[in-house]
Amino acid sequence: MIPILLATINAKWIHPSLGLRLLKANLGEYEDQAELWEFALRQPLTEQTGPLLAAAPRILGLSVSIWNHRATVELLEALDMAWDTGRSPRPFIILGGPEAAYLEADSPLIRHADWVVRGEGERIFRELCDLLLRTGVRPGGDTGSIREELGALPSVTRIWGKFIESHPVDIPSLASAYRLYTDEDLSHKLTYVESSRGCPWACAFCLSSVSPGLRLFPLDRVLTELRALVERGARSFKFLDRSFNQDIPRAKRIMEVFLEYLEGPKPAAGTPLWVHFEMLPSKFPAELRELLMRFPPGTLRLEIGIQTFNPQTAALIGRPSKPEQELEVLAFLREKTGALVHADLIAGLPGEDLASFARGFDRLWAVRPGEIQLGILKCLPGTPITRHSNTYGMRYATDPPYEVLETSALAVEDLDRIKNFARFWELIVNRGAFTALLPRLVPEGEGAFSPFMALSDWLLRRFQRNWGIDRKDLRAALEEWIGLRHELGSLGPSEPSLSSDKRKGTLVPGLFDCPNTADNLVQRSTVFQVGAEGCLLTQEGDLRKGVEMQFSGS
């Protein structure tokens, strides 16, 4: 029997959990009595339940995120069935992580738990384990005395039902968890690290807004630990900091550690080293830019959160917005550095309609960041974005990932089309598999949103799905689309109407006489079908319905 078992279901095998390692590293005298197990979302359920039942832990701690919520519920349901039959003794189940902390008490996940930790868990998890193991109480037994002792702890803010809310931990006093990365972790997986917690901003859609403010790990310790990780073989670093460049002198010191290895006479051998930072788009002074320009191509990856270019929407969600400055930063990164840039934009924010979002997308596309990550607004449990629900008609899915379904400015159909757009944008543009075709899909000097919306609508009709499409089939479809646009676009105003025999039933992009701008989104993004007598008919579900246009010289 294992006294304490920490486990989670990671999105992929290459994503190790730093959070679980921090819990284990800070268990004090109980660390040697704890084991850490990691599963993957695609791993068969029996490969998770079998080992957990055989281990028969006294305490099972599970980390829950938005991406493994459903999988964790399925795991606990399967374990409960086995525990009910007596195959293995039931442990105390302690849930933590950003997803579990703010769920309703009667949610399926919480019903399986004995305790749920809200807030940072490094201190409270150790104290809870100490009480459960020291008192010898069993699941289902009287925990009244434990509640009393927990309530008296300085690390606890309050206790209600199964929930324990903790005070923020004293960061300098935390034990480091990086020693718990194995050699296999460092050589074959992402190495997650953190130099700060929190964020100076308080965006309404982010959990960092619940307890705003930035707290820092001691810099000398961070630098020493980073060097030790590189020496041990770590090559793929991803910082969890939400605003890495908030403190410029500090950010420079950390970046210089990686440049020591990238520029030194004896660069790190084997797999090339690279590092990923999330940076605020408004803080790129000259001294930071000079450092960024020193990173060799492919060694620096930056995530830049733009989210919206609409100033009214930015104000509603509490996010500072300086569009021109942000665009200049992105242009600098593309033109002067070798960084791989991932720029975020969110659809479905309060008050932003389709035309506004399209204009923002086109502004972002004009500076050509490496990737545009088009996300859909999510109403994460506990975030204050809910304060806009009534005023702006925000309706969300009740199951994870809690995406917005409609707003007063975006109908269900609009958001569905944007979601489809986002999927095909990822497949066609972000993954870089069709770079030779891209100029003919999205012509240079024009906006991208409108023509790509038309393309993504057409692809969905053609394949009836936006997943599981073979790359060869997708390439053939793109080439067909390009051919159709070219053929129809070559018909000048003096040419005759289309032959109904030749074109009847063919799906083609529509309204070639409209300027390719977001303001003409309705016209340009609609896909038309050529019917009898050369008429172009809109397809059901497009922005405009029931429109007929005679494609002729008139």
Side-chain angles (χ1 to χ4, degrees), residues 182-246:
T182 65
D183 291 342
E184 180 186 24
D185 292 335
L186 297 179
S187 58
H188 297 294
K189 301 179 182 180
L190 297 176
T191 301
Y192 286 99
V193 293
E194 58 178 347
S195 69
S196 66
R197 289 186 183 178
C199 183
W201 294 358
C203 303
F205 55 78
C206 181
L207 271 174
S208 293
S209 63
V210 177
S211 53
L214 191 65
R215 294 178 296 143
L216 307 176
F217 285 80
L219 181 57
D220 288 343
R221 171 177 155 182
V222 170
L223 302 180
T224 299
E225 290 174 336
L226 290 175
R227 291 189 176 98
L229 286 168
V230 175
E231 292 296 333
R232 286 185 57 198
R235 295 294 180 267
S236 305
F237 287 84
K238 188 165 186 177
F239 276 71
L240 297 176
D241 303 43
R242 299 285 184 140
S243 46
F244 177 77
N245 59 331
Q246 172 65 17

Side-chain angles (χ1 to χ4, degrees), residues 24 27 40 79-80 87 90 102 121 177 191 196 259 287 308 324 352 358-359 378 387 402 430 449 476 488 507 515:
K24 187 177 189 299
L27 277 172
L79 290 172
D80 262 341
R87 283 179 55 191
R90 188 185 189 282
Y102 291 92
T191 301
S196 66
L259 287 170
E287 55 187 312
T308 182
E324 298 304 324
E352 184 158 41
R359 285 192 294 271
K378 297 169 180 61
R387 65 178 179 239
Y402 313 108
N430 284 348
F449 190 85
L488 287 179
L507 291 176

Side-chain angles (χ1 to χ4, degrees), residues 104-105 115 135 156 182 205 258 293 295 304 358 370 381 400 431 449-450 492 502 549:
E104 297 294 331
W115 301 95
T135 60
V156 174
T182 65
F205 55 78
F258 296 102
M293 292 169 65
F295 278 82
I304 309 293
R431 295 187 182 179
F449 190 85
S450 199
K502 181 179 179 182
M549 294 196 64

Side-chain angles (χ1 to χ4, degrees), residues 459-518:
L459 288 171
L460 183 60
R461 290 192 184 91
R462 179 187 172 98
F463 290 108
Q464 296 298 305
R465 65 187 188 280
N466 54 25
W467 50 268
I469 302 173
D470 183 83
R471 184 175 293 182
K472 292 181 180 178
D473 294 337
L474 183 55
R475 177 178 292 277
L478 295 177
E479 290 173 345
E480 180 183 350
W481 169 265
I482 290 168
L484 289 170
R485 282 185 54 140
H486 176 75
E487 190 174 353
L488 287 179
S490 67
L491 294 177
S494 61
E495 298 188 50
S497 300
L498 300 175
S499 164
S500 60
D501 291 336
K502 181 179 179 182
R503 298 292 185 82
K504 189 173 182 179
T506 303
L507 291 176
V508 297
L511 289 192
F512 301 97
D513 58 340
C514 291
N516 186 17
T517 65

Side-chain angles (χ1 to χ4, degrees), residues 108-380:
L109 179 68
I110 303 304
R111 288 201 294 266
H112 290 284
D114 294 290
W115 301 95
V116 181
V117 174
R118 175 183 290 184
E120 295 172 335
E122 288 94 344
R123 288 287 177 261
I124 189 59
F125 184 72
R126 180 185 63 78
E127 293 165 341
L128 182 54
C129 287
D130 173 65
L131 286 172
L132 294 175
L133 295 175
R134 181 163 46 83
T135 60
V137 66
R138 295 289 178 179
D142 183 11
T143 59
S145 60
I146 291 178
R147 282 181 174 275
E148 290 182 9
E149 289 194 56
L150 278 174
L153 292 173
S155 60
V156 174
T157 303
R158 60 176 177 143
I159 301 175
W160 72 106
K162 299 178 178 181
F163 291 86
I164 308 171
E165 185 170 86
S166 66
H167 284 292
V169 299
D170 176 48
I171 285 182
S173 69
L174 288 178
S176 173
Y178 301 133
R179 58 186 168 80
L180 297 180
Y181 281 129
T182 65
D183 291 342
E184 180 186 24
D185 292 335
L186 297 179
S187 58
H188 297 294
K189 301 179 182 180
L190 297 176
T191 301
Y192 286 99
V193 293
E194 58 178 347
S195 69
S196 66
R197 289 186 183 178
C199 183
W201 294 358
C203 303
F205 55 78
C206 181
L207 271 174
S208 293
S209 63
V210 177
S211 53
L214 191 65
R215 294 178 296 143
L216 307 176
F217 285 80
L219 181 57
D220 288 343
R221 171 177 155 182
V222 170
L223 302 180
T224 299
E225 290 174 336
L226 290 175
R227 291 189 176 98
L229 286 168
V230 175
E231 292 296 333
R232 286 185 57 198
R235 295 294 180 267
S236 305
F237 287 84
K238 188 165 186 177
F239 276 71
L240 297 176
D241 303 43
R242 299 285 184 140
S243 46
F244 177 77
N245 59 331
Q246 172 65 17
D247 184 328
I248 298 298
R250 179 184 175 90
K252 288 177 57 183
R253 291 283 304 280
I254 293 172
M255 294 167 68
E256 285 166 351
V257 169
F258 296 102
L259 287 170
E260 289 174 10
Y261 292 91
L262 292 168
E263 297 180 335
K266 294 181 179 179
T271 304
L273 185 150
W274 61 266
V275 60
H276 175 284
F277 301 112
E278 181 175 352
M279 292 194 178
L280 303 174
S282 58
K283 298 206 68 169
F284 278 78
E287 55 187 312
L288 179 62
R289 296 184 185 215
E290 291 173 3
L291 209 61
L292 292 170
M293 292 169 65
R294 289 169 52 190
F295 278 82
T299 63
L300 178 63
R301 305 182 183 188
L302 300 179
E303 182 173 351
I304 309 293
I306 301 299
Q307 318 312 2
T308 182
F309 284 119
N310 184 309
Q312 290 77 29
T313 294
L316 284 173
I317 61 175
R319 185 176 184 84
S321 178
K322 300 178 181 179
E324 298 304 324
Q325 181 179 341
E326 294 165 1
L327 290 169
E328 186 277 328
V329 164
L330 291 171
F332 157 76
L333 292 172
R334 186 194 74 238
E335 296 168 3
K336 303 295 184 180
T337 78
L340 301 175
V341 179
H342 170 121
D344 298 325
L345 207 63
I346 297 179
L349 291 170
E352 184 158 41
D353 61 16
L354 187 59
S356 171
F357 182 78
R359 285 192 294 271
F361 189 94
D362 284 343
R363 293 182 75 182
L364 189 54
W365 172 249
V367 297
R368 297 294 196 278
E371 294 183 5
I372 297 178
Q373 182 66 45
L374 199 166
I376 307 299
L377 177 65
K378 297 169 180 61
C379 184
L380 302 179

